[in-house]
Amino acid sequence: MPEIRQDVVTGRWVVVATERAMRPSDFGSTRVSAAPEPHQCPFCPGRELMTPLELYAVRPADCEPNTPGWQVRVVPNKFPAFKTGELEQPSESMFSRRAADGSHEVIIHTPDHTACLATMPVGDVELVLRVYRQRYRANRDDPHVRYAHIVVNHEKEAGASIEHTHSQLFGVPLVPPLVQQELAGASWHHTSRGKCVFCRIMEAELEVGRRVIVENDSFVAIAPFASCLPFEMWIIPREHQPSFDMIEGEQFGDFAQILHDTLGRYRERFDSPPYNYYIHSAPTDGSDYPYYHWHLELIPKLTWPGAFEMGTSMMINVTTPEHAAEFLRDSHSVG
Ligand SMILES: [Zn+2]
Ligand SMILES: [Zn+2]
Ligand SMILES: [Zn+2]
């Protein structure tokens, strides 16, 4: 069973996911090896029984679960970082551990092994985003899950272990530290300035324009003023919505369009780089967070943090966000 351990000096929590069962020899090389052949891929249609049984799928009504015919498929992660269960060992005198209760799901975007979110039709991306909300709500209703974290690791260099395009949803039993920091800042801002900090950032950025990359009726994509990494982007809904589960109607299509567009810009400008994205949203712990505003953070994997960053939690960004926005704005839009 995975467990969560707390560092006694800083209070920082770390997940120890024993089911991943890495042997020392698995760490031998950090070089990226060739992707597995499509004929071995457990996410391809026809190999449904190579994954745990599906939790949800978009498929025709007359089509059996765990058989081909699906458009989007959700399965439990075979090697979960979070899984509700009993701790195998109790805490030791100085050292706290707790069960890594929760869930860990894989959302397979498409049956097409060679597609990715930037090359799929926008309508298919929209279908994936609708599945995000379905799974988000299912996890929100799980009493073990205090935070539902949706992520994409695109390609091996960005942490993907399977090439076939997919997202992951982590049902986390605590509110992660970075989200706690954002909540604290947003709460303070709301109390002292009387308005949501993300709404204010969006207004200010649209007024200045220098860091805006692209916008549509429901979303704005910006290079944030204090970007941590080169060409980092935030996609923010125009409507003030604390939680991702509030997205609805036309907003799905607009979200799909801007995500497809921005990923297309990365693809064109950096020759299909690996990238990561994740959605920050209000916790699912039953409390209200009216001052928070969900958003998606997107980062192409162009640099790797060094010892300064690792030792300080401070990033050195070698590209200004103003330059990043200009460079990405000028690329021809594929949306
Ligand atoms: Zn595949
Ligand atoms: Zn807001
Ligand atoms: Zn954020």
Side-chain angles (χ1 to χ4, degrees), residues 41 43-44 113 164:
C41 171
F43 293 172
C44 272
H113 186 87
H164 194 127

Side-chain angles (χ1 to χ4, degrees), residues 36-45 47 70 108 110-114 162-165:
E37 293 295 313
H39 62 74
Q40 298 171 337
C41 171
F43 293 172
C44 272
R47 258 175 244 109
W70 50 272
I108 307 167
T110 165
D112 182 354
H113 186 87
T114 59
I162 291 179
E163 177 188 53
H164 194 127
T165 183

Side-chain angles (χ1 to χ4, degrees), residues 41-46 48 58 69-74 106-121 123-129 131-132 154 162-167:
C41 171
F43 293 172
C44 272
E48 284 77 8
V58 179
W70 50 272
Q71 286 175 276
V72 183
R73 185 167 186 256
V74 184
V106 177
I107 301 164
I108 307 167
H109 298 158
T110 165
D112 182 354
H113 186 87
T114 59
C116 69
L117 291 169
T119 60
M120 285 161 59
D124 291 356
V125 177
E126 180 179 341
L127 208 53
V128 171
L129 300 177
V131 172
Y132 278 9
H154 180 70
I162 291 179
E163 177 188 53
H164 194 127
T165 183
H166 64 282
S167 302

Side-chain angles (χ1 to χ4, degrees), residues 117-122 125 213-216 221 233 235 253-269 298 328-335:
L117 291 169
T119 60
M120 285 161 59
V122 177
V125 177
I213 296 151
V214 61
E215 55 181 304
N216 63 27
M233 234 190 267
I235 299 177
D254 287 344
F255 191 24
Q257 188 273 330
I258 203 165
L259 184 60
H260 186 266
D261 177 291
T262 48
L263 292 174
R265 286 168 198 263
Y266 281 166
R267 196 176 154 80
E268 186 192 310
R269 288 311 226 168
L298 178 55
L328 291 167
R329 220 169 25 231
D330 288 348
S331 61
H332 127 269
S333 166
V334 291

Side-chain angles (χ1 to χ4, degrees), residues 198-199 202-203 206 212 214-221 235-241 251 254 258 293-294:
F198 292 97
C199 286
M202 206 165 15
E203 279 166 23
L206 286 169
V212 176
V214 61
E215 55 181 304
N216 63 27
D217 285 350
S218 315
F219 290 87
V220 179
I235 299 177
I236 311 175
R238 286 182 194 268
E239 185 179 310
H240 177 77
Q241 295 178 340
Q251 292 164 352
D254 287 344
I258 203 165
H293 190 133
W294 78 266

Side-chain angles (χ1 to χ4, degrees), residues 22-216:
M22 294 287 276
R23 298 174 300 275
S25 60
D26 293 336
F27 296 102
S29 172
T30 54
R31 291 271 143 241
V32 174
S33 53
E37 293 295 313
H39 62 74
Q40 298 171 337
C41 171
F43 293 172
C44 272
R47 258 175 244 109
E48 284 77 8
L49 295 178
M50 284 178 72
T51 66
L53 295 181
E54 72 193 35
L55 298 163
Y56 181 80
V58 179
R59 54 165 79 247
D62 58 350
C63 175
E64 286 289 307
N66 303 299
T67 65
W70 50 272
Q71 286 175 276
V72 183
R73 185 167 186 256
V74 184
V75 297
N77 193 302
K78 206 166 181 176
F79 306 108
F82 298 96
K83 185 178 179 182
T84 299
E86 295 294 314
L87 259 190
E88 279 160 16
Q89 288 176 298
S91 292
E92 298 160 45
S93 58
M94 268 183 81
F95 306 116
S96 300
R97 51 158 63 98
R98 53 182 280 193
D101 287 336
S103 66
H104 188 173
E105 304 181 357
V106 177
I107 301 164
I108 307 167
H109 298 158
T110 165
D112 182 354
H113 186 87
T114 59
C116 69
L117 291 169
T119 60
M120 285 161 59
V122 177
D124 291 356
V125 177
E126 180 179 341
L127 208 53
V128 171
L129 300 177
R130 287 181 182 273
V131 172
Y132 278 9
R133 191 187 66 176
Q134 199 281 343
R135 298 316 303 161
Y136 189 95
R137 288 182 172 177
N139 275 271
R140 175 196 67 189
D141 297 338
D142 178 337
H144 295 289
V145 174
R146 299 174 74 80
Y147 188 78
H149 193 48
I150 295 173
V151 312
V152 165
N153 300 323
H154 180 70
E155 296 194 348
K156 284 208 163 188
E157 298 90 331
S161 55
I162 291 179
E163 177 188 53
H164 194 127
T165 183
H166 64 282
S167 302
Q168 298 180 72
L169 188 154
F170 297 81
V172 187
L174 47 82
V175 181
L178 183 55
V179 178
Q180 283 186 30
Q181 281 179 19
E182 288 196 2
L183 289 166
S187 171
W188 179 87
H189 200 94
H190 198 268
T191 305
S192 62
R193 305 286 151 84
K195 198 166 178 192
C196 163
V197 66
F198 292 97
C199 286
R200 290 192 74 209
I201 289 172
M202 206 165 15
E203 279 166 23
E205 291 293 9
L206 286 169
E207 198 177 311
V208 176
R210 297 172 69 199
R211 287 175 294 272
V212 176
I213 296 151
V214 61
E215 55 181 304
N216 63 27

